[in-house]
Amino acid sequence: MSDDKHLLQDTVRDLGKVLGETIQAQLGEQWLERIETVRIQGRKAFQGDNDSAIALQKLFAQLGDQDLLTLGRAFCQFLNLANIAEQEYNSAQTDIEPINKLFSELENLKLDSSNLASALEQLHIDLVLTAHPTEVSRRTLIHKYTELAQCLDRLHHSQLSEAERTSLQRRIADLIAQAWHTDEIRSERPTPVDEASWGFSVIENSLWQAVPEFIRELDDKIKKEYGLSLPIDSSPVRISSWMGGDRDGNPFVTAKVTQKVLLLARRRAASLFFSDVDRLQSELSMGECNDELRALAGDALEPYRLILRELREKLRITFKGLNAAVNDEESDPRQWIQTQQQLLEPLMLCYRSLHECGMGVIADGELLDCIRRVHCFGIHLLKLDIRQGSERHAEVFAELTEYLELGDYNSWSEEQKQQFLQQELSSKRPLFPANWQPSDDVQEVLDTCKVIAANSKDGFGIYIISMASLPSDVYAVQLLLQKMGINWAMPVAPLFETLDDLNNAADVMSLLFSQQEYLQRVDNKQFVMIGYSDSAKDAGALAASWAQYRSQEALVALAEQHNVELTLFHGRGGTIGRGGLPAYAAILSQPPGSLKGGFRVTEQGETIRYKFGVPELAKRSLNLYAGAILEAIMAPPPAPKPEWRELMDSMSADGRDNYRSIVRDDPQFVRYFRVATPELELGKLPLGSRPAKRKPDGGVESLRAIPWIFAWAQTRLVLPSWLGSMKAMQAAIDKGNRPLIDQMIENWPFFHSRLSMLDMVFSKADVSISEEYDKRLVPDELRYFGQALRDELEDSIKLINTLLKQESVMQNDPAGKDSMQLRAGYLQPLHYLQIELLDRVRKQPEDEVNHTLERAMMITIAGIAVGMRNTG
């Protein structure tokens, strides 16, 4: 790898030059000159040159809609290429893998091999792929971008002949031209099945290779340094998914969709394992084997090939049968591979024989990788979670109790609900009358349970209850699962999302854990999901993060008290824990003991591609997670001192009140939000299958957390991530608490990581850009609102620089700062372009649709999202 610190900038420049040549070939030299002028003015505007900003605004005002569309497409593509270059560059930075950092620090921690062995047993990383509507790039383009990144990798890190280098450069130009001549925006929203298929592709193209390589490299490190070895059935990484299972507020995820996604996942797994086994049977041509294998292979001269060919044939039949099932054709599931053991036994038979016959080096090659894939992915490829809102389960029982003339379930007290549900859980009689005809919505909930019952438990993860707040929410799902014929204990996880729910989480779980019947039913194992985005939307970032910490802390203590194995499931989004230091710091800032039950986290939208899109990046991300988790287990962060807690209580309460006084209480806020941001226009962008709002006619309170953050990121005010937080800290300092705050920054990872997150957020904020949106789009009588917010933002940035002892934001993270500045010259023009387009779109008569204008608008939204590197 080149040591040239300018390699990344040079790559971005070279890719931009190729794109420029592509545009010139289609549109002529005058267009290339115009684009270059805009880029230069954009860079100067970013550096504070007001004349350049004015020049951009004047130019865009003079251009026609089609010209604005062309400019938008150009700068959107420039930003995509910059991201690809950075992704490829980052994937090569193997010298800074956290796992290496961890091993180098173990001596300082005074920990021996027994400590590490114990921690490795607790190393469970469960990545939950979700289809939140933040991935703005089409799958068609993602495939091109992935190959482009691979070409760059070969170009930079391989010994190439001149002819090979020329060939690669030609292929890069080819891919960039393909991308330019492809529509950036989907013509239709992806379906839940489309989203699930995209998730499968991430596994096939990246994680399928990365996971066994990660395990192998980890095994080699612990063997070399500590004489330890990972068991052959070790699966420190598991892959789960919400794609096709998350029906919370998404009417398009139905029982039929879930069934189809389960079949498609199994079909993809059969295909991938077929390829692995086909390759193995080709390679394992040895004749010597142990007695166990000989007893099955008979007189075969090549016994391994015989066994593996039989397995390959079973996989072929399985794939063919699943393909028929997907297409609603007849198939006999009895002929399919139905259990993980059926897949594993022949592989393990070969593995044992090779080792016994002195061919361990062969056994521990491709064959071991395949075995580890079986343990990680299994015959179902991933584990599908089911998510549904608590009110949908309550509807089932409301209709049922009304039909049975027992009263209105929804009007019952919590005690009455619990009594009814617990009685029915203990009852052996059927719950649902044969002649009962529920509403369509209730039938859909029941049909979902039927799908779970009709499939293997190995294909499922957990059942998550959105907006859970009471024990009856959990009992209701357990009862539904039981009475619909699910004969295994599917884990049911309440999702505590709002501030009040987080604060009450331990009380709710305490009521459940106090029931011996409940603990027996769950086998003393419990998943609890912690909501990040919605709690921040409810109360602001500071109050939400402290509530999340305290909730986890209380749940860990409660689980220990009741001898329950607790797995906390983190519903993090792209704006928290995205890449590098923030993710590492986020894990290390968890309360002590919170990782004992494993680390389960959502990976959503565009962050899946940024962190796991290619094998090297995926391995680096897995190393990052593993290093942070092992360190947190072996050297847990300190519990906060009483005085730290007291100050956090006070600051978070102030932060909550500051935030809500604007977002909830100010009657002008909604009006300002709707005109100052492209929130209303976001609904036209076909990002994900799920609607942007939980209720079609609702206001800001019904807006999902992701588009809420997305809208503010577009205008660079990034308001949800900081509003009210630093103001609360300033109030604490005014009361004489600066020494205590300094102590917390220095000694408490949780508090330091909060400030690091804010530091990153502030690097993405741009007061001048936000002001330009207001000047053009906000009525005079509302402009005071934006000015007040920008004043608070500027005060907040000054304070964080003071607290972190830096002169400018991200000074202590130069790589992160350079990352944002890398795209600044391309990003700045898109904001001015979007402002012009928003003004034109909003001045159109309501009954007229200008498709060129609409498409240009969507492209600027997508481009800014790409440039910001995170949307929700």
Side-chain angles (χ1 to χ4, degrees):
M1 189 186 76
S2 170
D3 292 326
D4 183 3
K5 65 180 180 179
H6 299 298
L7 175 64
L8 177 57
Q9 291 93 324
D10 291 345
T11 304
V12 172
R13 185 197 62 228
D14 291 345
L15 293 177
K17 183 180 177 184
V18 174
L19 176 60
E21 291 168 354
T22 301
I23 295 171
Q24 182 179 352
Q26 182 194 12
L27 301 175
E29 190 171 346
Q30 75 280 7
W31 258 104
L32 182 61
E33 291 172 356
R34 176 182 285 171
I35 288 168
E36 182 60 12
T37 299
V38 170
R39 186 190 69 80
I40 291 170
Q41 288 176 332
R43 168 66 64 180
K44 288 180 179 178
F46 170 72
Q47 293 168 343
D49 182 352
N50 192 50
D51 290 341
S52 293
I54 292 170
L56 283 176
Q57 290 169 308
K58 285 182 178 178
L59 173 63
F60 295 159
Q62 293 165 2
L63 294 176
D65 296 344
Q66 184 61 48
D67 288 348
L68 295 182
L69 171 60
T70 301
L71 277 171
R73 293 191 66 234
F75 282 89
C76 184
Q77 287 289 358
F78 278 130
L79 287 164
N80 271 308
L81 294 176
N83 282 353
I84 293 163
E86 186 175 25
Q87 174 181 302
E88 183 271 330
Y89 178 81
N90 286 340
S91 70
Q93 306 305 299
T94 55
D95 56 316
I96 54 170
E97 283 181 1
I99 204 81
N100 291 331
K101 175 176 172 286
L102 168 71
F103 286 128
S104 68
E105 289 181 357
L106 282 179
E107 281 189 32
N108 298 333
L109 297 172
K110 297 183 180 177
L111 299 168
D112 55 24
S113 59
S114 64
N115 296 116
L116 181 57
S118 175
L120 285 167
E121 286 180 12
Q122 299 176 59
L123 179 61
H124 299 293
I125 306 166
D126 191 350
L127 304 176
V128 185
L129 308 180
T130 72
H132 283 301
T134 58
E135 174 55 84
V136 295
S137 296
R138 292 179 60 197
R139 276 174 56 197
T140 298
L141 287 168
I142 289 170
H143 289 309
K144 301 182 196 303
Y145 297 155
T146 300
E147 187 172 349
L148 182 54
Q150 291 166 350
C151 288
L152 290 174
D153 181 65
R154 290 199 295 275
L155 193 66
H156 293 151
H157 310 116
S158 301
Q159 296 296 322
L160 301 171
S161 68
E162 192 59 37
E164 289 170 330
R165 181 172 295 277
T166 300
S167 177
L168 265 179
Q169 289 170 335
R170 186 179 295 116
R171 180 58 178 157
I172 288 170
D174 174 17
L175 289 165
I176 289 173
Q178 288 183 34
W180 172 252
H181 291 286
T182 299
D183 283 348
E184 297 88 348
I185 305 298
R186 304 177 184 97
S187 58
E188 297 177 353
R189 286 184 179 275
T191 67
V193 173
D194 292 334
E195 292 171 333
S197 297
W198 178 76
F200 303 157
S201 296
V202 172
I203 293 175
E204 179 174 356
N205 298 326
S206 178
L207 291 167
W208 194 256
Q209 177 185 334
V211 168
E213 286 185 5
F214 158 72
I215 297 173
R216 178 183 297 281
E217 291 172 12
L218 177 61
D219 195 32
D220 288 346
K221 283 169 186 166
I222 63 173
K223 205 172 287 181
K224 180 181 177 183
E225 301 290 335
Y226 290 90
L228 297 172
S229 183
L230 292 173
I232 193 170
D233 62 351
S234 177
S235 52
V237 180
R238 291 286 176 90
I239 309 299
S240 301
S241 176
W242 280 12
M243 303 181 195
D246 177 14
R247 58 238 314 121
D248 174 38
N250 190 342
F252 306 113
V253 179
T254 63
K256 288 182 179 178
V257 163
T258 296
Q259 179 61 58
K260 186 169 185 176
V261 167
L262 288 164
L263 290 170
L264 287 169
R266 287 187 66 181
R267 187 179 73 176
R268 187 73 67 103
S271 172
L272 290 168
F273 280 117
F274 178 91
S275 297
D276 275 12
V277 172
D278 184 51
R279 186 167 59 253
L280 285 170
Q281 70 84 29
S282 176
E283 291 191 357
L284 300 187
S285 55
M286 296 65 66
E288 186 181 354
C289 67
N290 66 2
D291 293 342
E292 182 187 20
L293 182 54
R294 182 58 65 189
L296 287 173
D299 297 331
L301 295 176
E302 296 175 329
Y304 300 95
R305 280 184 165 174
L306 177 72
I307 297 298
L308 291 171
R309 279 175 187 149
E310 290 176 356
L311 178 57
R312 183 183 64 176
E313 178 62 14
K314 288 178 184 176
L315 284 164
R316 187 189 68 78
I317 292 169
T318 301
F319 176 85
K320 189 176 178 182
L322 285 161
N323 195 56
V326 166
N327 294 307
D328 296 321
E329 299 168 1
E330 283 192 24
S331 178
D332 184 1
R334 291 173 299 180
Q335 296 182 355
W336 308 349
I337 291 176
Q338 293 285 11
T339 67
Q340 185 162 307
Q341 200 58 30
Q342 287 176 274
L343 180 57
L344 197 58
E345 278 178 2
L347 299 171
M348 287 303 300
L349 177 62
C350 294
Y351 184 83
R352 289 191 297 270
S353 177
L354 287 168
H355 267 284
E356 287 179 31
C357 296
M359 293 181 280
V361 67
I362 299 173
D364 291 333
E366 294 272 348
L367 177 58
L368 179 57
D369 284 350
C370 185
I371 290 168
R372 283 181 166 151
R373 286 189 185 109
V374 175
H375 287 295
C376 172
F377 301 103
I379 65 169
H380 296 273
L381 191 69
L382 43 71
K383 291 186 178 293
L384 186 66
D385 284 355
I386 303 295
R387 184 167 79 131
Q388 183 61 280
S390 57
E391 75 284 354
R392 292 293 299 276
H393 308 126
E395 284 173 19
V396 176
F397 294 107
E399 285 193 21
L400 179 66
T401 54
E402 182 182 1
Y403 178 83
L404 296 173
E405 298 181 352
L406 297 175
D408 178 10
Y409 177 87
N410 281 329
S411 68
W412 292 354
S413 68
E414 173 63 12
E415 289 72 25
Q416 287 175 302
K417 288 178 182 177
Q418 287 186 41
Q419 184 180 9
F420 169 76
L421 296 167
Q422 287 174 306
Q423 275 182 348
E424 294 299 329
L425 277 163
S426 302
S427 172
K428 294 183 179 180
R429 64 175 172 78
L431 175 64
F432 301 108
N435 56 349
W436 176 47
Q437 289 295 321
S439 67
D440 289 346
D441 283 351
V442 166
Q443 187 62 56
E444 182 57 45
V445 174
L446 300 178
D447 287 346
T448 297
C449 295
K450 287 178 184 176
V451 167
I452 299 171
N455 288 273
S456 167
K457 67 177 183 179
D458 295 332
F460 293 100
I462 65 178
Y463 195 118
I464 300 126
I465 311 167
S466 296
M467 291 297 172
S469 58
L470 295 164
S472 62
D473 294 330
V474 178
Y475 285 132
V477 174
Q478 288 185 330
L479 181 58
L480 281 170
L481 295 175
Q482 182 194 96
K483 296 302 182 182
M484 293 307 295
I486 292 128
N487 57 9
W488 51 280
M490 185 176 192
V492 177
L495 165 52
F496 298 108
E497 298 182 77
T498 67
L499 186 68
D500 287 344
D501 289 344
L502 283 168
N503 289 334
N504 295 331
D507 291 340
V508 171
M509 299 313 298
S510 180
L511 288 169
L512 291 170
F513 291 168
S514 65
Q515 299 293 320
Q516 195 59 37
E517 297 88 348
Y518 179 85
L519 292 178
Q520 288 174 352
R521 204 156 45 240
V522 301
D523 193 25
N524 280 63
K525 295 175 182 175
Q526 182 69 51
F527 287 80
V528 173
M529 186 169 178
I530 304 297
Y532 285 70
S533 297
D534 279 294
S535 56
K537 178 172 172 278
D538 177 39
L542 186 65
S545 63
W546 181 228
Q548 291 150 13
Y549 185 97
R550 290 175 65 232
S551 177
Q552 292 177 64
E553 196 177 44
L555 288 166
V556 167
L558 183 70
E560 289 180 356
Q561 177 188 335
H562 289 274
N563 195 30
V564 171
E565 181 183 316
L566 174 69
T567 300
L568 291 168
F569 178 15
H570 304 275
R572 283 202 171 97
T575 51
I576 294 182
R578 180 191 60 76
L581 174 65
Y584 198 82
I587 292 170
L588 289 175
S589 68
Q590 300 292 124
S594 62
L595 293 167
K596 284 183 180 177
F599 182 71
R600 196 174 205 264
V601 64
T602 53
E603 298 290 354
Q604 72 174 41
E606 83 288 351
T607 62
I608 295 173
R609 184 156 56 97
Y610 294 151
K611 292 161 71 172
F612 303 101
V614 294
E616 286 303 320
L617 264 184
K619 269 200 304 183
R620 189 162 181 265
S621 296
L622 292 172
N623 272 320
L624 183 148
Y625 279 141
I629 292 166
L630 289 171
E631 184 175 337
I633 291 171
M634 291 188 288
K641 294 179 180 179
E643 57 268 33
W644 298 353
R645 289 181 184 279
E646 188 179 342
L647 186 55
M648 273 306 302
D649 285 341
S650 172
M651 289 194 299
S652 66
D654 282 352
R656 174 202 63 210
D657 293 344
N658 293 340
Y659 176 88
R660 286 181 175 174
S661 69
I662 293 173
V663 173
R664 281 193 181 187
D665 301 337
D666 194 305
Q668 296 298 327
F669 176 75
V670 172
R671 224 182 123 210
Y672 173 76
F673 170 57
R674 292 248 152 92
V675 292
T677 76
E679 183 259 328
L680 294 171
E681 288 76 14
L682 275 174
K684 298 174 183 175
L685 191 62
L687 295 179
S689 69
R690 195 169 67 176
K693 291 182 179 178
R694 286 188 168 90
K695 297 175 183 176
D697 55 350
V700 171
E701 76 287 345
S702 70
L703 192 70
R704 290 189 176 278
I706 291 159
W708 163 247
I709 295 170
F710 201 141
W712 288 109
Q714 291 284 306
T715 68
R716 303 293 286 279
L717 197 57
V718 291
L719 177 139
S721 302
W722 59 266
L723 182 63
S725 297
M726 299 308 295
K727 196 173 180 181
M729 289 189 205
Q730 184 62 61
I733 290 169
D734 293 342
K735 294 174 184 174
N737 288 302
R738 173 65 192 272
L740 192 55
I741 288 175
D742 287 342
Q743 187 186 110
M744 291 158 68
I745 294 171
E746 186 69 27
N747 300 300
W748 191 14
F750 164 78
F751 190 68
H752 186 271
S753 74
R754 294 311 99 192
L755 293 187
S756 294
M757 293 295 178
L758 283 166
D759 193 30
M760 181 184 74
V761 164
F762 291 145
S763 76
K764 298 189 173 190
D766 189 315
V767 169
S768 63
I769 287 292
S770 167
E771 190 171 8
E772 292 299 334
Y773 278 83
D774 279 17
K775 282 181 186 175
R776 190 76 175 275
L777 304 170
V778 176
D780 291 346
E781 69 272 17
L782 284 178
R783 286 188 189 168
Y784 76 93
F785 209 109
Q787 190 55 53
L789 293 174
R790 287 187 290 277
D791 288 345
E792 182 178 338
L793 173 59
E794 290 189 304
D795 290 342
S796 297
I797 292 172
K798 288 175 187 173
L799 179 56
I800 203 163
N801 285 336
T802 300
L803 292 176
L804 294 179
K805 298 172 181 164
Q806 58 188 22
E807 293 180 8
S808 60
V809 291
M810 297 285 278
Q811 184 178 312
N812 298 318
D813 181 11
K817 189 171 187 175
D818 289 346
S819 173
M820 193 63 195
Q821 291 185 340
L822 181 72
R823 288 176 288 277
Y826 303 127
L827 189 55
Q828 210 79 355
L830 276 177
H831 287 294
Y832 291 110
L833 191 55
Q834 185 178 86
I835 293 166
E836 175 66 33
L837 288 165
L838 279 169
D839 188 50
R840 293 189 190 186
V841 166
R842 291 174 182 180
K843 286 176 178 174
Q844 284 187 112
E846 286 188 17
D847 57 346
E848 289 183 19
V849 178
N850 181 326
H851 293 291
T852 301
L853 208 54
E854 297 280 355
R855 186 174 169 221
M857 182 75 247
M858 289 192 282
I859 283 171
T860 63
I861 291 172
I864 291 168
V866 166
M868 293 286 280
R869 281 294 295 267
N870 57 278
T871 50

